[in-house]
Amino acid sequence: MSPQMNIKNSAKKFGGYMKKAAVFNDLSGFGKCSLTAAIPVLSAQGVQCCPMASAVLTNQTGYEYHKCTDLTAMIKDYIDNWQKNNAHFDGIYSGFMTGSKQIELFMDFLDVFYEKNTMLLVDPVMGDDGRTYGIYSAALLDGMKALSRKADVITPNLTEACLLADYDIEKVYSDTRKDVLLPIAAEISEKLRCLSGKNQDVIITGIKCRDDKSPFIYNLVTTANGTTTHRSHFFDVSFSGTGDLFASVICGSRLNGFSTEEAAERAGKFLYDSIADTMNDDTAPNDGVNFEKFLRELM
């Protein structure tokens, strides 16, 4: 029996083929975000994370001092070498992009590696809480729109969903009562599904409803089956990396056969437990959450 056959037989014995996900995101030394969130979360779910670094940062940009090295020039090397090595992926997941040029090159990556049975998840990083990040530009938005419409699953927060669907951010955020904000978010998510022109799943994350007596945060999931909402306790602190953790759970869950609705439920519980534990510590928001304690939930 050949070594290859032995490997295949062992894989069947111990749970089957291990799925692979190519993850395009930055690598930050501190902040528990991006690739330092995706690698352990996917690994805990039995998915091999194949990282493509969009940039390397000493620490995430929320800290007062940081240094960023842009790795746009390496994207063609990833494409060339992975193609020569006959790489194939069950999932592709994109996060932080430094600009429109990276999106353009990532589209070239998709031309090679986004195959018929590959799941593409796009987390369109552009802003949060009604404000855009420093990387934002009209060209970045145009690129994110094109990339998001190719995806099977997208996980924008409410700010990013507004940008992708051309909704007035200030107007959407002007009334954060649940009965007002959630219907608008549902309208936005349905528009995004229509714009994709495919059977896309849309998850709008971090919808903060500040009703006087019941402040909650919602994730809104829109699929071909309709729209569902997932509610969690509202912590009025914005920790680094929570969006990356959420999207990473979604990616791993989908690759393991969970529906998008089930994946969102798993991700919401994982984040709630991680944030609640962190709130008991004297942890600065830039330092991220204690998610490592709860990786066992995903195994």
Side-chain angles (χ1 to χ4, degrees):
M1 184 180 291
S2 70
Q4 289 83 359
M5 287 301 295
N6 277 329
I7 291 169
K8 287 181 180 178
N9 288 338
S10 296
K12 288 179 182 178
K13 180 179 178 181
F14 293 106
Y17 165 75
M18 176 175 263
K19 295 191 175 180
K20 296 183 180 71
V23 182
F24 188 70
N25 216 330
D26 69 90
L27 179 65
S28 292
F30 287 101
K32 295 188 183 182
C33 60
S34 308
L35 286 173
T36 57
I39 293 170
V41 167
L42 286 171
S43 297
Q45 297 178 89
V47 176
Q48 179 185 344
C49 179
C50 304
M52 300 172 59
S54 59
V56 173
L57 292 87
T58 54
N59 39 269
Q60 56 99 345
T61 59
Y63 291 93
E64 183 178 0
Y65 304 105
H66 66 272
K67 173 69 175 177
C68 175
T69 300
D70 188 306
L71 296 180
T72 301
M74 276 197 69
I75 298 176
K76 289 183 178 179
D77 293 326
Y78 276 112
I79 297 171
D80 181 48
N81 287 282
W82 284 6
Q83 189 173 25
K84 287 177 180 176
N85 286 314
N86 195 33
H88 297 274
F89 302 101
D90 302 283
I92 299 173
Y93 155 28
S94 71
F96 175 78
M97 308 264 190
T98 61
S100 57
K101 181 61 177 177
Q102 280 203 348
I103 299 176
E104 180 184 323
L105 290 170
F106 187 70
M107 290 287 205
D108 293 340
F109 177 88
L110 294 180
D111 287 342
V112 177
F113 297 105
Y114 184 28
E115 301 175 282
K116 182 179 179 181
N117 295 317
T118 307
M119 182 202 68
L120 174 59
L121 186 151
V122 172
D123 186 15
V125 180
M126 294 183 285
D128 198 6
D129 286 329
R131 299 181 299 275
T132 55
Y133 298 142
I135 58 165
Y136 179 79
S137 67
L140 180 76
L141 175 58
D142 287 343
M144 281 297 184
K145 284 180 176 178
L147 178 58
S148 294
R149 289 168 191 175
K150 288 178 70 73
D152 301 294
V153 184
I154 60 172
T155 59
N157 58 43
L158 183 58
T159 300
E160 292 156 349
C162 288
L163 291 167
L164 293 173
D166 295 319
Y167 272 63
D168 186 320
I169 294 175
E170 288 188 14
K171 186 175 180 181
V172 170
Y173 276 83
S174 65
D175 192 336
T176 58
R177 289 175 297 168
K178 172 189 170 184
D179 292 345
V180 175
L181 194 55
L182 286 185
I184 294 173
E187 183 181 294
I188 292 171
S189 65
E190 190 55 49
K191 180 177 179 180
L192 291 174
R193 282 196 85 242
C194 291
L195 287 171
S196 74
K198 61 188 297 184
N199 190 26
Q200 184 182 78
D201 293 346
V202 178
I203 308 175
I204 300 182
T205 65
I207 305 171
K208 299 172 183 175
C209 296
R210 293 181 170 88
D211 298 61
D212 290 341
K213 295 181 180 179
S214 55
F216 288 101
I217 189 165
Y218 293 84
N219 297 316
L220 190 145
V221 183
T222 301
T223 70
N225 298 324
T227 297
T228 57
T229 56
H230 301 261
R231 187 180 77 176
S232 187
H233 180 76
F234 178 58
F235 298 102
D236 204 7
V237 181
S238 183
F239 286 101
S240 167
T242 52
D244 298 312
L245 292 167
F246 186 92
S248 299
V249 176
I250 298 297
C251 181
S253 297
R254 280 292 308 268
L255 291 178
N256 278 314
F258 290 92
S259 69
T260 300
E261 293 93 337
E262 291 168 333
E265 207 167 310
R266 295 182 85 224
K269 183 181 185 306
F270 176 69
L271 268 187
Y272 171 81
D273 291 343
S274 301
I275 295 171
D277 185 86
T278 309
M279 293 291 288
N280 293 325
D281 293 342
D282 187 21
T283 301
N286 280 333
D287 292 343
V289 296
N290 301 336
F291 73 88
E292 297 91 341
K293 296 181 180 181
F294 301 96
L295 288 172
R296 62 183 179 273
E297 293 182 5
L298 304 175
M299 293 180 179

